[in-house]
């Protein structure tokens, strides 16, 4: 890394920076032919060696000009302009060999060959980007503030026809607590700021190979055992996903900083979206990334903090915190482009994408429950008629996966050197499809009986005429379709984290080799209470953890 700065005078500074990073990773794993994983295998195929190598080269450079000045003690001006270059190249190769003699024969020359249909692997990626930018700010008497940013960015991950995009943002703020009428009328107001902003940040979070067509090589494609196949269909017109983000907010601190809050209203319109659209199967691929439609999201978020005890000079503070967020979204300008995606996901997902619909909506056929007389499920068609015949054409929106309200609340205490912090996470008003009910109470196959199942499959299912139950009778041959019967309210509260610490007084450290000494104990995911009873840690792992830390300086 190299950096240089030059200041011809106090208000102007030039800065240049360049960095080069090269890394090499190697993996080497050998399993002896006597390893138990090869029991029962052909003796000539026992033993394996995997070798892999990956190299990365990253180069980046930036030149910046910084200007800042204060005029007549009221006008504060700052400006930053510059340019940035970035390049990342990576290559990976490796192979697996098998069939080794017993003994210390661990080099690939002793291997019988590659696994059946196996061959060496190789991949590479090149990504480059460049940008020029300018940021400016102006403040008048620390009462009125204006910020403006602009960036012209280009990246190789975008289509060859749309490689550059403009992003910008501007913000205004008014420090009301600096005004004399606020100081005279409300001396209990410490800070009161009104602010607003609008801008369109860009997004380039996808693979470099999604903008042009790529092919894979196969040695078994035709009679001559060689050929290529389409691995990805490129889109040279792929554009940046941009979001017009509007925000209005207020920040306040009252009662000698005992009470503070920050509240924001936001409206985000993303146009165009980056969406994987289904393509004909004859192409050999299922989807292609393209710009399609738009999404609008709006909502309110904020944080409120109140300190019943606030004596910072005596290191004694007790604070209560509450954080909240609510958001609604809808998509538009999709048309029928995602109809095939909606149809293909009917048996595995509850998500559907239609114009005017919420992208977090849960779609299903409405269920009237289980008929006590026959044990069959009764469905409600769109026209209100009851039927035992299931049809995807009767799907309607039965819930929203995103909660109406979510956030964190907690408390913290500091008394001299002792401190403690507790945080709870909550969500209210959302719905979710209970896959535990769908897969381990119903739809149990004969082979799955060898594994653990939900006990509700034994106690809560229909067994004889007249039973009033939530689930249909046991059948190892019949498949239950995905209906609203498995959609439940998903409200929850969990103790997310607990921290307890103690910092020894520095004066007591005078006769010890320590300058400071601090102890901390942490606990995460202690408990969870929820309205939906389902499995956790099967598909997405979670862990309850307890840890201790000791920090010392000498």
């Amino acid at each position: 890394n190299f950096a240089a700065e030059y200041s011809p005078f106090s208000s102007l500074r030039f800065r240049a920076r360049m960095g080069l990073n090269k890394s090499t990773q190697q993996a080497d794993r050998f399993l002896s032919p006597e390893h138990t994983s090869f029991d029962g295998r052909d003796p000539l195929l026992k033993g394996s060696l995997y070798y892999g190598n990956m190299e990365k080269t990253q180069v980046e450079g930036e030149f910046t000009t910084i200007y800042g000045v204060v005029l007549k003690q009221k006008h504060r001006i700052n400006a930053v302009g510059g340019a940035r270059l970035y390049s990342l190249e990576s290559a990976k190769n490796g192979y697996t060999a098998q069939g080794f003699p017993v003994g210390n024969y661990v080099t690939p020359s002793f291997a019988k060959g590659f696994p059946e249909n196996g061959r060496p692997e190789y991949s590479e990626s090149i990504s480059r980007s460049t940008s020029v930018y300018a940021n400016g700010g102006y403040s008048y008497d620390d009462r009125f503030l204006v910020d403006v940013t602009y960036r012209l960015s280009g990246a190789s991950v975008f289509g060859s026809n749309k490689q550059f995009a403009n992003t910008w943002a501007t913000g205004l703020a008014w420090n009301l607590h600096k005004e004399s009428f606020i100081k005279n009328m409300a001396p209990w107001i410490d800070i009161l700021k009104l602010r607003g902003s609008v801008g369109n940040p860009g997004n380039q979070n996808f693979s470099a190979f999604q903008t042009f067509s790529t092919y894979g090589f196969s040695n078994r494609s035709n009679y001559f055992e060689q050929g290529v196949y389409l691995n990805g269909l490129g889109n040279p017109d792929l554009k940046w996903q941009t979001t017009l983000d509007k925000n209005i907010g207020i920040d306040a601190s009252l009662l000698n900083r005992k009470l503070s809050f920050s509240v924001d209203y936001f409206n985000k319109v993303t146009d165009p979206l980056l969406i994987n659209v289904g393509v004909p199967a004859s192409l050999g691929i299922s989807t292609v990334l393209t710009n399609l439609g738009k999404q609008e999201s709006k909502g309110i978020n904020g944080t409120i903090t109140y300190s019943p005890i606030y004596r910072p000079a005596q290191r004694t503070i007790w604070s209560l915190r509450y954080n909240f967020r609510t958001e609604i979204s809808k998509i538009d300008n999709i048309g029928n482009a995602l109809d095939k995606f909606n149809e293909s996901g009917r048996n595995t997902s509850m998500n559907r994408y239609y114009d005017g619909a919420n992208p977090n909506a849960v779609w299903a056929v409405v269920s009237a429950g289980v008929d006590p007389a026959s044990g069959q499920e009764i469905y409600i068609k769109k026209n209100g008629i009851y039927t035992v015949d299931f049809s995807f054409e009767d799907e309607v929106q039965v819930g929203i996966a995103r909660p109406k309200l979510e956030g964190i609340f907690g408390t913290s205490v500091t008394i001299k050197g002792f401190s403690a912090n507790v945080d709870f996470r909550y969500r209210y008003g959302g719905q979710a499809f209970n896959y535990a009910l769908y897969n381990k109470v119903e739809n149990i196959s004969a082979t799955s009986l060898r594994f653990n199942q939900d006990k509700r499959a034994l106690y809560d299912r229909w067994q004889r005429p007249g039973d009033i139950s939530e689930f249909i009778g046991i059948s190892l041959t019949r498949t239950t379709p995905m209906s609203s019967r498995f959609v439940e309210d998903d409200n929850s509260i969990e103790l997310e984290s607990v921290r307890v610490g103690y910092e020894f007084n520095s004066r007591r450290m005078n006769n010890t080799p320590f300058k400071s000494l601090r102890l901390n104990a942490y606990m995460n995911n202690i408990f969870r209470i929820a309205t939906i009873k389902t499995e956790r840690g099967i598909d997405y792992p979670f862990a309850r953890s307890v840890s201790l830390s000791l920090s010392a300086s000498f």
Side-chain angles (χ1 to χ4, degrees), residues 118-405:
R119 57 181 179 176
E121 60 180 16
Y122 178 82
S123 63
E124 67 176 23
S125 174
I126 301 175
S127 176
R128 295 190 176 101
S129 63
T130 182
S131 62
V132 293
Y133 56 88
N135 308 326
Y138 170 74
S139 169
Y140 173 71
D141 199 23
D142 203 23
R143 291 156 52 204
F144 303 100
L145 303 93
V146 180
D147 288 308
V148 178
T149 65
Y150 173 80
R151 180 182 292 266
L152 175 64
S153 303
S156 61
V157 298
F158 295 98
S160 57
N161 298 334
K162 305 287 183 180
Q163 285 192 324
F164 286 87
N166 300 302
T167 57
W168 57 272
T170 183
L172 302 173
W174 181 14
N175 285 327
L176 285 166
H177 60 279
K178 295 288 186 178
E179 300 293 345
S180 57
F181 65 89
I182 292 291
K183 293 179 180 179
N184 297 330
M185 294 174 54
W188 44 273
I189 295 179
D190 305 309
I191 297 175
L192 184 60
K193 175 188 285 189
L194 296 177
R195 49 184 169 75
S197 64
V198 60
N200 68 327
N203 174 30
Q204 60 180 70
N205 295 324
F206 55 87
S207 168
F209 294 125
Q210 289 178 296
T211 59
F212 53 90
S213 298
T214 57
Y215 298 85
F217 175 77
S218 173
N219 57 5
R220 294 181 178 272
S221 294
N222 53 41
Y223 179 79
F224 300 101
E225 296 190 348
Q226 57 185 339
V228 296
Y229 59 90
L230 185 64
N231 192 45
L233 184 63
N235 183 356
D237 294 318
L238 201 64
K239 297 189 295 185
W240 295 57
Q241 177 175 288
T242 58
T243 300
L244 185 62
D245 191 346
K246 303 174 184 177
N247 181 285
I248 298 175
I250 181 173
D251 301 322
S253 178
L254 315 173
L255 306 175
N256 292 323
R257 302 185 184 274
K258 280 190 174 183
L259 175 64
S260 63
F261 62 87
S262 177
V263 180
D264 290 87
Y265 170 79
F266 62 88
N267 182 285
K268 300 180 180 179
V269 178
T270 302
D271 186 11
L273 291 166
L274 287 171
I275 295 179
N276 280 304
V277 176
V279 295
S282 59
L283 291 176
I285 58 175
S286 58
T287 61
V288 59
L289 190 66
T290 188
N291 297 115
L292 180 69
K294 71 175 183 178
Q295 176 174 320
E296 181 179 4
S297 302
K298 55 185 176 181
I300 300 174
N301 60 61
T303 301
I304 303 172
T305 303
Y306 176 65
S307 301
I309 300 175
Y310 188 76
R311 297 194 292 267
Q314 303 173 23
R315 300 173 64 197
T316 302
I317 301 174
W318 174 31
S319 296
L320 304 172
R321 301 180 306 277
Y322 175 68
N323 169 271
F324 66 93
R325 180 182 180 89
T326 178
E327 178 180 337
I328 57 174
S329 304
K330 72 173 183 177
I331 54 178
D332 215 338
N333 297 342
I334 297 291
N336 60 359
L338 296 182
D339 285 354
K340 289 186 178 180
F341 180 87
N342 291 332
E343 293 175 7
S344 63
R346 281 177 169 175
N347 292 314
T348 58
S349 170
M350 313 296 285
N351 297 329
R352 306 289 183 266
Y353 300 97
Y354 304 107
D355 283 344
N358 192 316
N360 301 300
V362 179
W363 292 78
V365 176
V366 177
S367 172
V370 177
D371 180 14
S374 64
Q376 289 183 290
E377 184 170 9
I378 301 175
Y379 307 101
I380 304 177
K381 301 176 69 67
K382 285 184 177 180
N383 57 11
I385 296 177
Y386 287 73
T387 179
V388 294
D389 297 322
F390 179 89
S391 173
F392 283 113
E393 300 303 320
D394 295 318
E395 280 186 340
V396 296
Q397 180 178 311
V398 295
I400 302 291
R402 177 181 288 276
K404 294 180 180 178
L405 188 66

Side-chain angles (χ1 to χ4, degrees), residues 28-32 48-49 100-101 103-111:
D28 192 339
R29 188 176 74 132
F30 177 78
L31 285 181
S32 166
S48 68
L49 170 68
F100 286 83
N104 190 27
Y105 305 103
V106 298
T107 60
S109 59
F110 290 98

